[in-house]
Amino acid sequence: MQPNIQFGVDYYPEHWPQSRWETDFAMMQDMGIDVVRLGEFSWFKLEPADGQFDFGWLDDVLALAAKHDIHAVLGTPTAAPPAWLIAQHPDIQPVDREGRTRYFGGRHHDCQSNPIYRDYIARFVRTYAQHFGKNPTVIGWQVDNELGNSHGGLCYCKYCQRHFQKWLREKYQTIENLNDNWGTAFWSQGYQDFSQIQAPKITVTGENPSEMLDWKECHSDLINEFHAYQAKIIRQYSPDRFITHNMMGFSPVVSYYDLGRQLDFASHDQYPSGHFLADQNSFRGDRCAAELDFIRGVKQQSFWIMEQQTTITGWEVMGRLPKPGQIPLWSMQSVAHGADAIVYFRWRSSALGTEQYWHGILPHSGIPGRAYREIRHFMRQTKPLLKEINGTVPRAKVGIVFSYPQDYAIDIQPQHPDMTYVDTLMTYYKALYRRNVAVDFIQDTADFSQYELVIAPLQYLMTPALADRYAAYVQAGGQLVLTMRTGVKEANNLCMTDAALPGKTLGQVLGLTVPEYDCLRDVDVVIDWAGQQYTGTHWADLIEPTTAEPLATYGSEFYTGTPAITKNQYGQGTAYYVGTELTDALADRLVAGLPTVAAETIATPAEVEIVHRDTAAKRYYFVLNHTGEQQNITIPAGWQAYFSDQDSGHLAPYSYQVFTEEQTN
Ligand code: GLA
Ligand code: GLA
């Protein structure tokens, strides 16, 4: 149920006088816009007083949209409960880890487990979906906004505490079972009853890692259930419409795999300048690419961008002005990695509120400028292309495993202060990105046999079933890369004690044990690879091979000369083990030697990216120049220029080119 829509804008008609709306829609239609997203923060305007609904203005907006051949995605406004509701029920406001209430005045000032809030939500969403659900202009829905943004771990109120207790009771059945799984023998943390368990507010010292992992999983489940609660009502009153959600890449809160199962397709909010507070000199094409690939991996399907950056971002302070060409380039990067539709945030820079400086296609004045011209040109040029490739994805031969429990567990105990799950994944992703090798992000439950190479960094929490799956994959001929901190813990976040690291099964697959390790707090380590020197950071596993052969050895510290990176034949396949955190040059050396990577590599200058999407008949190649300089590449013989005016192989600063190639198999 993914409609053939190419371009849209996030539109907030409630910020502007009604007399302006017609002009906006006429301009949108002229630009080539097919869809507007509306309503996701408009609760007060839709229900100005308890039980009094005012939908007339939105009926008018939808009628004007229809007049201009524009469809609508409606958001439910539950990220912004109105003041009258908060005044009547102040305990809807969330409570933070320190027990402080977070008050009305911004957004997301809501507790998602509060039962009274749920009643108000049910009434609102039912009335809203009944009224708009069959309107022919409405083609789809979005529940709330960026679920997990601001909510992550935020609420520790009495309702959330009760919810946590109930969740734990369902998971563990008996309190003895919970005590065992949380290791509560440590520091006298035993419980007699589930009612004694608190939402984990600040402690005097340290936290129980097993409890924290459950808290994060419970939160993810709660947010997913919050979505399901609304989605069920929408599906009842608005049949044959899609439900999607605007996700946030690698945001570490909600399991998007779980959320994805509720959705017709995934959507993503793409702001390549990053948050305005972040380092503005650090645009990373690789990070943007990875997040897009990850969102494609949520359902292994093409997706929408629900918010694509239009120009300067900012709240209290602002980011840099995108250079000429960058906005179309970033839009094309989204398309290249699997977006079927691009919805731009926002139509016009708002004169009101916190986000006055998160600019839109139109500036505050409403006078079309460079952003408008660049985006309009992009839409006109690429609309036929987007129609042709609608629904397609690349055929990737390399899978990188992304797992929420691993992300949560490494966040709870990073072990090295600078170690994060996503950064470690990115050391591998970036090396593949630099070689233009297509990557799918996959779950640890995926069918690995679809991939020639599976890279599974930081498989820290391990179960016998998962170890067996990795073993079977290699046995049958797969190439597998595992890393430091594999098999350290059981799924409950207690340490594994039945064998030396990385555990019995994986020890055999990898042909080694790891009896000791060194957390590199104050030093990097020299890595020697066939006489070439590289650097490893953060971590050094001291590896004792049984059958593994060393590819690289340590070149400093007392373990100089012992293996740092190994390779082992197991069954029909090969298992690699990486005992340190890779720096770029070392990652390049490692991936260059992997047979699949060598075969899939397309060489380009730095920050010139090539990605593809496949139809049955053709492969579409997208060449993206993220640099501020002209770049030249050699175009292979079989590639046809897609745009008639492109000077193929000669890429202006911040520009793209597209090619097609007949599929050979
Ligand atoms: C997110 C939100 C939007 C808006 C933008 C800009 O992407 O979904 O509502 O707040 O950020 O801050
Ligand atoms: C102190 C405490 C111990 C233990 C160690 C390690 O010495 O007395 O109980 O916590 O630190 O943290």
Side-chain angles (χ1 to χ4, degrees), residues 12 37 40-41 107 145-146 149 246 248 269 271 275-276 307 314-315 345-346 355 358:
Y12 299 93
R37 184 192 59 178
E40 84 278 9
F41 297 110
R107 65 176 172 185
N145 186 68
E146 291 188 339
N149 181 356
N246 57 334
M248 301 170 285
D269 293 346
Y271 292 107
H275 198 255
F276 47 94
E307 300 180 11
W315 279 19
F345 189 92
R346 56 187 77 210
E355 295 191 358
W358 203 284

Side-chain angles (χ1 to χ4, degrees), residues 174-186:
T174 67
I175 199 69
E176 292 76 21
N177 192 23
L178 175 137
N179 281 321
D180 287 349
N181 277 283
W182 280 15
T184 58
F186 192 79

Side-chain angles (χ1 to χ4, degrees), residues 177-473:
N177 192 23
L178 175 137
N179 281 321
D180 287 349
N181 277 283
W182 280 15
T184 58
F186 192 79
W187 283 353
S188 197
Q189 288 173 355
Y191 297 96
Q192 296 166 299
D193 190 86
F194 287 96
S195 63
Q196 294 165 347
I197 296 169
Q198 304 190 29
K201 295 209 222 8
I202 50 165
T203 54
V204 177
T205 175
E207 287 158 341
N208 179 326
S210 301
E211 177 183 358
M212 294 312 294
L213 182 59
D214 271 339
W215 174 250
K216 283 177 182 277
E217 301 250 23
C218 173
H219 239 93
S220 175
D221 286 356
L222 171 65
I223 295 172
N224 270 296
E225 187 269 328
F226 183 82
H227 184 276
Y229 183 82
Q230 299 191 40
K232 190 172 170 208
I233 301 171
I234 293 167
R235 295 221 188 264
Q236 183 182 350
Y237 294 104
S238 188
D240 308 322
R241 267 66 171 180
F242 65 78
I243 299 180
T244 186
H245 192 74
N246 57 334
M247 301 179 178
M248 301 170 285
F250 290 127
S251 164
V253 179
V254 182
S255 164
Y256 287 156
Y257 297 138
D258 291 343
L259 184 56
R261 279 193 285 279
Q262 300 186 43
L263 305 176
D264 295 279
F265 57 90
S267 294
H268 170 64
D269 293 346
Q270 182 76 343
Y271 292 107
S273 285
H275 198 255
F276 47 94
L277 298 175
D279 177 3
Q280 287 292 315
N281 296 318
S282 67
F283 165 71
R284 299 295 327 177
D286 46 29
R287 175 74 185 219
C288 292
E291 299 209 85
L292 294 163
D293 284 346
F294 175 66
I295 295 298
R296 193 181 69 243
V298 167
K299 290 180 79 75
Q300 299 299 346
Q301 277 177 17
S302 55
F303 54 90
W304 277 28
I305 299 295
M306 197 54 96
E307 300 180 11
Q308 175 85 35
Q309 184 174 341
T310 48
T311 176
I312 284 193
T313 59
W315 279 19
E316 291 78 18
V317 297
M318 288 185 248
R320 292 290 314 272
L321 177 65
K323 318 275 187 284
Q326 263 183 328
I327 294 299
L329 174 67
W330 294 342
S331 305
M332 192 57 119
Q333 188 187 32
S334 294
V335 170
H337 286 270
D340 284 338
I342 306 279
V343 178
Y344 287 96
F345 189 92
R346 56 187 77 210
W347 170 241
R348 180 170 175 184
S349 307
S350 178
L352 324 174
T354 308
E355 295 191 358
Q356 287 161 334
Y357 300 129
W358 203 284
H359 293 74
I361 294 177
L362 297 182
H364 291 113
S365 70
I367 300 165
R370 182 167 64 87
Y372 170 90
R373 287 192 300 274
E374 289 190 13
I375 293 170
R376 185 179 63 173
H377 177 261
F378 178 75
M379 289 183 183
R380 292 188 172 170
Q381 186 197 33
T382 60
K383 198 163 207 165
L385 169 66
L386 266 68
K387 287 185 180 173
E388 274 174 51
I389 59 174
N390 188 63
T392 62
V393 292
R395 272 201 293 271
K397 295 180 178 169
V398 181
I400 296 184
V401 173
F402 182 97
S403 152
Y404 284 94
Q406 308 290 6
D407 195 8
Y408 299 154
I410 299 288
D411 183 53
I412 293 163
Q413 292 173 301
Q415 297 152 85
H416 187 288
D418 299 331
M419 192 153 88
T420 78
Y421 182 65
V422 170
D423 285 349
T424 300
L425 256 63
M426 284 302 297
T427 62
Y428 294 85
Y429 182 90
K430 285 190 294 183
L432 296 163
Y433 172 90
R434 287 191 287 271
R435 300 179 150 258
N436 300 301
V437 175
V439 171
D440 279 349
F441 281 95
I442 57 176
Q443 302 188 45
D444 62 13
T445 51
D447 176 7
F448 298 145
S449 71
Q450 291 182 16
Y451 298 93
E452 290 180 12
L453 169 65
V454 170
I455 300 176
L458 292 174
Q459 295 298 287
Y460 176 64
L461 305 173
M462 188 51 61
T463 61
L466 182 56
D468 287 347
R469 281 169 46 67
Y470 285 130
Y473 170 67

